[in-house]
CSV table of all heavy atoms in Angstrom, one decimal:
chain,number,residue,atom,x,y,z
A,737,MET,N,20.1,-10.7,-7.2
A,737,MET,CA,20.8,-9.4,-7.4
A,737,MET,C,20.2,-8.3,-6.7
A,737,MET,O,18.9,-8.2,-6.6
A,737,MET,CB,20.7,-9.1,-8.9
A,737,MET,CG,21.5,-7.8,-9.3
A,737,MET,SD,21.4,-7.4,-11.0
A,737,MET,CE,19.7,-7.0,-11.3
A,738,HIS,N,21.0,-7.6,-6.0
A,738,HIS,CA,20.5,-6.4,-5.2
A,738,HIS,C,20.2,-5.3,-6.2
A,738,HIS,O,21.0,-4.9,-7.0
A,738,HIS,CB,21.5,-6.0,-4.2
A,738,HIS,CG,21.1,-4.7,-3.5
A,738,HIS,ND1,20.2,-4.6,-2.6
A,738,HIS,CD2,21.7,-3.4,-3.7
A,738,HIS,CE1,20.0,-3.4,-2.2
A,738,HIS,NE2,20.9,-2.6,-2.8
A,739,ILE,N,19.0,-4.8,-6.1
A,739,ILE,CA,18.6,-3.7,-7.0
A,739,ILE,C,18.4,-2.5,-6.1
A,739,ILE,O,17.6,-2.5,-5.1
A,739,ILE,CB,17.2,-4.0,-7.7
A,739,ILE,CG1,17.4,-5.2,-8.5
A,739,ILE,CG2,16.8,-2.8,-8.5
A,739,ILE,CD1,16.1,-5.7,-9.2
A,740,SER,N,19.2,-1.4,-6.4
A,740,SER,CA,19.1,-0.2,-5.6
A,740,SER,C,17.8,0.5,-6.0
A,740,SER,O,17.5,0.8,-7.1
A,740,SER,CB,20.3,0.7,-5.9
A,740,SER,OG,21.5,0.1,-5.5
A,741,ARG,N,17.0,0.9,-4.9
A,741,ARG,CA,15.8,1.6,-5.1
A,741,ARG,C,16.0,3.1,-4.9
A,741,ARG,O,16.8,3.5,-4.1
A,741,ARG,CB,14.7,1.1,-4.2
A,741,ARG,CG,14.4,-0.4,-4.3
A,741,ARG,CD,13.8,-0.7,-5.7
A,741,ARG,NE,13.5,-2.1,-5.8
A,741,ARG,CZ,13.1,-2.7,-6.9
A,741,ARG,NH1,13.0,-2.0,-8.0
A,741,ARG,NH2,12.8,-4.0,-6.9
A,742,LYS,N,15.2,3.9,-5.6
A,742,LYS,CA,15.3,5.3,-5.5
A,742,LYS,C,14.3,5.8,-4.4
A,742,LYS,O,13.2,5.2,-4.4
A,742,LYS,CB,15.1,6.0,-6.8
A,742,LYS,CG,16.1,5.7,-7.9
A,742,LYS,CD,15.8,6.4,-9.2
A,742,LYS,CE,16.9,6.1,-10.3
A,742,LYS,NZ,16.5,6.8,-11.6
A,743,PRO,N,14.6,6.8,-3.7
A,743,PRO,CA,13.6,7.4,-2.8
A,743,PRO,C,12.3,7.8,-3.5
A,743,PRO,O,12.3,8.3,-4.5
A,743,PRO,CB,14.3,8.6,-2.1
A,743,PRO,CG,15.7,8.3,-2.4
A,743,PRO,CD,15.9,7.6,-3.7
A,744,ALA,N,11.2,7.5,-2.8
A,744,ALA,CA,9.9,7.9,-3.3
A,744,ALA,C,9.5,7.2,-4.6
A,744,ALA,O,8.7,7.8,-5.4
A,744,ALA,CB,9.7,9.4,-3.4
A,745,GLU,N,10.1,6.1,-5.0
A,745,GLU,CA,9.9,5.5,-6.3
A,745,GLU,C,8.7,4.5,-6.2
A,745,GLU,O,7.8,4.6,-7.1
A,745,GLU,CB,11.1,4.8,-6.7
A,745,GLU,CG,11.0,4.2,-8.1
A,745,GLU,CD,12.2,3.4,-8.6
A,745,GLU,OE1,12.9,2.8,-7.8
A,745,GLU,OE2,12.5,3.5,-9.8
A,746,GLN,N,8.6,3.7,-5.2
A,746,GLN,CA,7.6,2.6,-5.3
A,746,GLN,C,7.1,2.3,-3.9
A,746,GLN,O,7.9,2.3,-2.9
A,746,GLN,CB,8.0,1.4,-6.1
A,746,GLN,CG,9.2,0.7,-5.6
A,746,GLN,CD,9.6,-0.5,-6.5
A,746,GLN,OE1,9.5,-0.3,-7.7
A,746,GLN,NE2,10.1,-1.6,-5.9
A,747,THR,N,5.9,1.8,-3.8
A,747,THR,CA,5.3,1.3,-2.6
A,747,THR,C,4.8,-0.2,-2.9
A,747,THR,O,4.2,-0.4,-3.9
A,747,THR,CB,4.0,2.1,-2.2
A,747,THR,OG1,4.5,3.5,-2.0
A,747,THR,CG2,3.5,1.6,-0.9
A,748,GLU,N,5.1,-1.1,-2.0
A,748,GLU,CA,4.6,-2.5,-2.1
A,748,GLU,C,3.6,-2.8,-1.1
A,748,GLU,O,3.7,-2.4,0.1
A,748,GLU,CB,5.9,-3.4,-1.9
A,748,GLU,CG,7.0,-3.1,-2.9
A,748,GLU,CD,8.3,-3.8,-2.5
A,748,GLU,OE1,8.2,-4.8,-1.7
A,748,GLU,OE2,9.4,-3.3,-2.9
A,749,VAL,N,2.5,-3.5,-1.5
A,749,VAL,CA,1.4,-3.7,-0.6
A,749,VAL,C,0.9,-5.2,-0.7
A,749,VAL,O,1.2,-5.8,-1.7
A,749,VAL,CB,0.2,-2.8,-1.0
A,749,VAL,CG1,0.5,-1.3,-0.7
A,749,VAL,CG2,-0.2,-3.0,-2.4
A,750,ASP,N,0.4,-5.7,0.4
A,750,ASP,CA,-0.1,-7.1,0.4
A,750,ASP,C,-0.9,-7.3,1.6
A,750,ASP,O,-0.9,-6.5,2.6
A,750,ASP,CB,1.2,-8.0,0.4
A,750,ASP,CG,0.8,-9.4,-0.1
A,750,ASP,OD1,-0.4,-9.6,-0.4
A,750,ASP,OD2,1.7,-10.3,-0.2
A,751,TRP,N,-1.6,-8.4,1.7
A,751,TRP,CA,-2.3,-8.9,2.9
A,751,TRP,C,-1.4,-9.9,3.6
A,751,TRP,O,-0.8,-10.8,3.0
A,751,TRP,CB,-3.6,-9.5,2.6
A,751,TRP,CG,-4.7,-8.6,2.1
A,751,TRP,CD1,-5.1,-8.5,0.8
A,751,TRP,CD2,-5.5,-7.8,2.8
A,751,TRP,NE1,-6.1,-7.6,0.7
A,751,TRP,CE2,-6.4,-7.1,1.9
A,751,TRP,CE3,-5.6,-7.5,4.2
A,751,TRP,CZ2,-7.3,-6.2,2.3
A,751,TRP,CZ3,-6.5,-6.5,4.6
A,751,TRP,CH2,-7.4,-5.9,3.7
A,752,ALA,N,-1.3,-9.8,4.9
A,752,ALA,CA,-0.5,-10.7,5.7
A,752,ALA,C,-1.2,-12.1,5.7
A,752,ALA,O,-2.5,-12.2,5.7
A,752,ALA,CB,-0.3,-10.3,7.1
A,753,GLY,N,-0.5,-13.2,5.7
A,753,GLY,CA,-1.1,-14.5,5.6
A,753,GLY,C,-1.7,-14.9,6.9
A,753,GLY,O,-2.8,-15.5,7.0
A,754,GLN,N,-1.1,-14.5,8.0
A,754,GLN,CA,-1.6,-14.8,9.4
A,754,GLN,C,-2.8,-13.9,9.7
A,754,GLN,O,-2.8,-12.7,9.3
A,754,GLN,CB,-0.6,-14.7,10.5
A,754,GLN,CG,0.6,-15.7,10.2
A,754,GLN,CD,1.6,-15.7,11.4
A,754,GLN,OE1,1.2,-15.6,12.6
A,754,GLN,NE2,2.8,-15.7,11.1
A,755,LYS,N,-3.7,-14.4,10.5
A,755,LYS,CA,-5.0,-13.6,10.9
A,755,LYS,C,-5.0,-13.3,12.3
A,755,LYS,O,-4.3,-13.9,13.1
A,755,LYS,CB,-6.2,-14.3,10.4
A,755,LYS,CG,-6.2,-14.7,9.0
A,755,LYS,CD,-7.5,-15.6,8.7
A,755,LYS,CE,-7.4,-16.0,7.2
A,755,LYS,NZ,-6.3,-16.9,6.9
A,756,MET,N,-5.8,-12.2,12.7
A,756,MET,CA,-5.9,-11.9,14.1
A,756,MET,C,-7.4,-12.1,14.4
A,756,MET,O,-8.2,-12.3,13.5
A,756,MET,CB,-5.5,-10.4,14.3
A,756,MET,CG,-4.0,-10.2,13.9
A,756,MET,SD,-3.4,-8.5,14.2
A,756,MET,CE,-3.1,-8.6,15.9
A,757,GLN,N,-7.8,-11.8,15.6
A,757,GLN,CA,-9.2,-12.0,16.0
A,757,GLN,C,-9.7,-10.9,16.9
A,757,GLN,O,-9.0,-10.2,17.7
A,757,GLN,CB,-9.3,-13.3,16.8
A,757,GLN,CG,-9.2,-14.6,16.0
A,757,GLN,CD,-9.4,-15.9,16.7
A,757,GLN,OE1,-9.1,-16.0,18.0
A,757,GLN,NE2,-10.0,-16.8,16.1
A,758,ILE,N,-11.0,-10.6,16.8
A,758,ILE,CA,-11.8,-9.6,17.6
A,758,ILE,C,-12.8,-10.4,18.3
A,758,ILE,O,-13.5,-11.2,17.6
A,758,ILE,CB,-12.3,-8.5,16.7
A,758,ILE,CG1,-11.2,-7.8,15.9
A,758,ILE,CG2,-13.1,-7.5,17.6
A,758,ILE,CD1,-11.7,-6.9,14.9
A,759,PHE,N,-13.0,-10.2,19.5
A,759,PHE,CA,-14.1,-10.9,20.3
A,759,PHE,C,-15.2,-10.1,20.7
A,759,PHE,O,-15.1,-8.8,21.0
A,759,PHE,CB,-13.4,-11.5,21.6
A,759,PHE,CG,-12.3,-12.5,21.3
A,759,PHE,CD1,-11.0,-12.1,21.2
A,759,PHE,CD2,-12.6,-13.8,21.2
A,759,PHE,CE1,-10.0,-13.0,21.0
A,759,PHE,CE2,-11.6,-14.8,20.9
A,759,PHE,CZ,-10.3,-14.4,20.8
A,760,ASP,N,-16.4,-10.7,20.7
A,760,ASP,CA,-17.6,-10.0,21.1
A,760,ASP,C,-17.6,-9.9,22.6
A,760,ASP,O,-17.5,-11.0,23.3
A,760,ASP,CB,-18.9,-10.7,20.6
A,760,ASP,CG,-20.1,-10.0,20.9
A,760,ASP,OD1,-20.6,-10.1,22.1
A,760,ASP,OD2,-20.7,-9.3,20.0
A,761,ARG,N,-17.8,-8.8,23.2
A,761,ARG,CA,-17.7,-8.6,24.6
A,761,ARG,C,-18.8,-9.4,25.4
A,761,ARG,O,-18.6,-9.9,26.5
A,761,ARG,CB,-17.8,-7.1,25.0
A,761,ARG,CG,-17.4,-6.8,26.4
A,761,ARG,CD,-17.5,-5.3,26.6
A,761,ARG,NE,-16.6,-4.6,25.8
A,761,ARG,CZ,-15.4,-4.3,26.1
A,761,ARG,NH1,-14.8,-4.7,27.2
A,761,ARG,NH2,-14.6,-3.6,25.2
A,762,ASN,N,-20.0,-9.6,24.8
A,762,ASN,CA,-21.1,-10.2,25.4
A,762,ASN,C,-21.1,-11.8,25.2
A,762,ASN,O,-21.3,-12.5,26.1
A,762,ASN,CB,-22.4,-9.7,25.0
A,762,ASN,CG,-22.5,-8.2,25.3
A,762,ASN,OD1,-22.1,-7.8,26.4
A,762,ASN,ND2,-23.1,-7.4,24.4
A,763,THR,N,-20.9,-12.2,24.0
A,763,THR,CA,-21.0,-13.6,23.7
A,763,THR,C,-19.6,-14.3,23.6
A,763,THR,O,-19.5,-15.5,23.7
A,763,THR,CB,-21.7,-13.8,22.3
A,763,THR,OG1,-20.9,-13.2,21.3
A,763,THR,CG2,-23.1,-13.1,22.3
A,764,GLY,N,-18.6,-13.5,23.4
A,764,GLY,CA,-17.2,-14.2,23.3
A,764,GLY,C,-17.0,-14.7,21.9
A,764,GLY,O,-15.9,-15.4,21.7
A,765,GLU,N,-17.9,-14.5,21.0
A,765,GLU,CA,-17.7,-15.0,19.6
A,765,GLU,C,-16.5,-14.2,18.9
A,765,GLU,O,-16.4,-13.0,19.1
A,765,GLU,CB,-19.0,-14.8,18.8
A,765,GLU,CG,-18.9,-15.3,17.4
A,765,GLU,CD,-20.3,-15.1,16.7
A,765,GLU,OE1,-21.2,-14.6,17.3
A,765,GLU,OE2,-20.2,-15.5,15.5
A,766,ALA,N,-15.7,-15.0,18.2
A,766,ALA,CA,-14.5,-14.4,17.6
A,766,ALA,C,-14.8,-14.1,16.2
A,766,ALA,O,-15.4,-14.8,15.4
A,766,ALA,CB,-13.4,-15.4,17.7
A,767,THR,N,-14.3,-12.9,15.7
A,767,THR,CA,-14.4,-12.4,14.3
A,767,THR,C,-12.9,-12.3,13.8
A,767,THR,O,-12.1,-11.8,14.4
A,767,THR,CB,-15.0,-11.1,14.2
A,767,THR,OG1,-16.4,-11.2,14.8
A,767,THR,CG2,-15.2,-10.7,12.8
A,768,THR,N,-12.8,-12.8,12.6
A,768,THR,CA,-11.4,-12.8,12.0
A,768,THR,C,-11.1,-11.4,11.5
A,768,THR,O,-11.9,-10.7,10.9
A,768,THR,CB,-11.3,-13.8,10.8
A,768,THR,OG1,-11.6,-15.1,11.3
A,768,THR,CG2,-9.9,-13.8,10.2
A,769,ALA,N,-9.8,-11.0,11.7
A,769,ALA,CA,-9.4,-9.7,11.3
A,769,ALA,C,-8.1,-10.0,10.4
A,769,ALA,O,-7.3,-10.8,10.7
A,769,ALA,CB,-9.0,-8.8,12.4
A,770,TYR,N,-8.1,-9.3,9.2
A,770,TYR,CA,-7.0,-9.4,8.3
A,770,TYR,C,-6.1,-8.2,8.3
A,770,TYR,O,-6.6,-7.1,8.4
A,770,TYR,CB,-7.6,-9.7,6.8
A,770,TYR,CG,-8.5,-10.8,6.8
A,770,TYR,CD1,-9.9,-10.6,7.0
A,770,TYR,CD2,-8.1,-12.1,6.4
A,770,TYR,CE1,-10.8,-11.7,7.0
A,770,TYR,CE2,-9.0,-13.1,6.3
A,770,TYR,CZ,-10.3,-12.9,6.6
A,770,TYR,OH,-11.2,-14.0,6.5
A,771,LEU,N,-4.8,-8.4,8.2
A,771,LEU,CA,-3.8,-7.4,8.3
A,771,LEU,C,-3.3,-6.9,7.0
A,771,LEU,O,-2.7,-7.7,6.2
A,771,LEU,CB,-2.6,-7.8,9.2
A,771,LEU,CG,-1.7,-6.7,9.6
A,771,LEU,CD1,-2.4,-5.7,10.6
A,771,LEU,CD2,-0.5,-7.3,10.3
A,772,PHE,N,-3.6,-5.7,6.6
A,772,PHE,CA,-3.0,-5.0,5.4
A,772,PHE,C,-1.7,-4.5,5.7
A,772,PHE,O,-1.5,-3.8,6.7
A,772,PHE,CB,-4.0,-3.9,4.9
A,772,PHE,CG,-3.4,-3.1,3.7
A,772,PHE,CD1,-3.5,-3.5,2.4
A,772,PHE,CD2,-2.7,-2.0,4.0
A,772,PHE,CE1,-3.1,-2.8,1.4
A,772,PHE,CE2,-2.2,-1.2,2.9
A,772,PHE,CZ,-2.4,-1.6,1.6
A,773,VAL,N,-0.7,-4.7,4.8
A,773,VAL,CA,0.7,-4.2,5.0
A,773,VAL,C,1.1,-3.4,3.7
A,773,VAL,O,0.9,-3.8,2.6
A,773,VAL,CB,1.6,-5.4,5.3
A,773,VAL,CG1,3.0,-4.9,5.4
A,773,VAL,CG2,1.2,-6.1,6.5
A,774,GLY,N,1.7,-2.2,4.0
A,774,GLY,CA,2.3,-1.5,2.9
A,774,GLY,C,3.7,-1.0,3.4
A,774,GLY,O,3.9,-0.7,4.5
A,775,ALA,N,4.7,-1.0,2.4
A,775,ALA,CA,6.0,-0.6,2.8
A,775,ALA,C,6.6,0.2,1.6
A,775,ALA,O,6.4,-0.2,0.4
A,775,ALA,CB,6.9,-1.9,3.1
A,776,LEU,N,7.4,1.2,1.9
A,776,LEU,CA,8.1,1.9,0.9
A,776,LEU,C,9.4,1.2,0.6
A,776,LEU,O,10.1,0.8,1.5
A,776,LEU,CB,8.5,3.3,1.5
A,776,LEU,CG,7.2,4.2,1.8
A,776,LEU,CD1,7.7,5.5,2.5
A,776,LEU,CD2,6.5,4.6,0.4
A,777,SER,N,9.7,1.0,-0.7
A,777,SER,CA,10.8,0.2,-1.1
A,777,SER,C,12.2,0.7,-0.7
A,777,SER,O,13.1,-0.1,-0.4
A,777,SER,CB,10.8,0.0,-2.6
A,777,SER,OG,9.6,-0.7,-3.0
A,778,TYR,N,12.3,2.0,-0.6
A,778,TYR,CA,13.6,2.6,-0.3
A,778,TYR,C,13.9,2.6,1.2
A,778,TYR,O,14.9,2.0,1.6
A,778,TYR,CB,13.7,4.0,-0.8
A,778,TYR,CG,15.0,4.7,-0.5
A,778,TYR,CD1,16.1,4.4,-1.2
A,778,TYR,CD2,15.1,5.7,0.5
A,778,TYR,CE1,17.3,5.0,-1.0
A,778,TYR,CE2,16.3,6.3,0.8
A,778,TYR,CZ,17.4,6.0,0.0
A,778,TYR,OH,18.6,6.6,0.3
A,779,SER,N,13.1,3.2,2.0
A,779,SER,CA,13.3,3.2,3.4
A,779,SER,C,12.8,2.1,4.2
A,779,SER,O,13.1,1.9,5.4
A,779,SER,CB,12.6,4.6,4.0
A,779,SER,OG,11.3,4.5,3.8
A,780,GLN,N,11.9,1.3,3.6
A,780,GLN,CA,11.2,0.1,4.2
A,780,GLN,C,10.3,0.6,5.3
A,780,GLN,O,9.9,-0.1,6.2
A,780,GLN,CB,12.2,-0.9,4.7
A,780,GLN,CG,13.1,-1.5,3.7
A,780,GLN,CD,14.1,-2.4,4.3
A,780,GLN,OE1,13.8,-3.2,5.2
A,780,GLN,NE2,15.3,-2.4,3.7
A,781,TYR,N,9.9,1.9,5.3
A,781,TYR,CA,9.0,2.5,6.2
A,781,TYR,C,7.6,1.8,6.0
A,781,TYR,O,7.1,1.6,4.9
A,781,TYR,CB,8.9,4.0,6.0
A,781,TYR,CG,8.1,4.7,7.1
A,781,TYR,CD1,8.6,4.8,8.4
A,781,TYR,CD2,6.9,5.4,6.9
A,781,TYR,CE1,8.0,5.5,9.4
A,781,TYR,CE2,6.3,6.1,7.9
A,781,TYR,CZ,6.9,6.2,9.1
A,781,TYR,OH,6.2,6.9,10.1
A,782,ALA,N,7.0,1.3,7.2
A,782,ALA,CA,5.9,0.3,7.1
A,782,ALA,C,4.6,1.0,7.6
A,782,ALA,O,4.6,1.8,8.4
A,782,ALA,CB,6.2,-0.9,7.8
Side-chain angles (χ1 to χ4, degrees):
M737 180 179 67
H738 172 72
I739 301 176
S740 298
R741 301 298 182 186
K742 296 180 181 179
E745 182 180 35
Q746 61 186 35
T747 304
E748 303 167 22
V749 295
D750 201 358
W751 291 102
Q754 298 186 44
K755 305 175 182 64
M756 306 181 78
Q757 288 186 326
I758 304 170
F759 295 92
D760 187 280
R761 194 180 297 274
N762 298 320
T763 64
E765 183 180 357
T767 301
T768 301
Y770 303 88
L771 191 65
F772 171 87
V773 177
L776 297 169
S777 299
Y778 178 77
S779 64
Q780 300 177 36
Y781 193 63

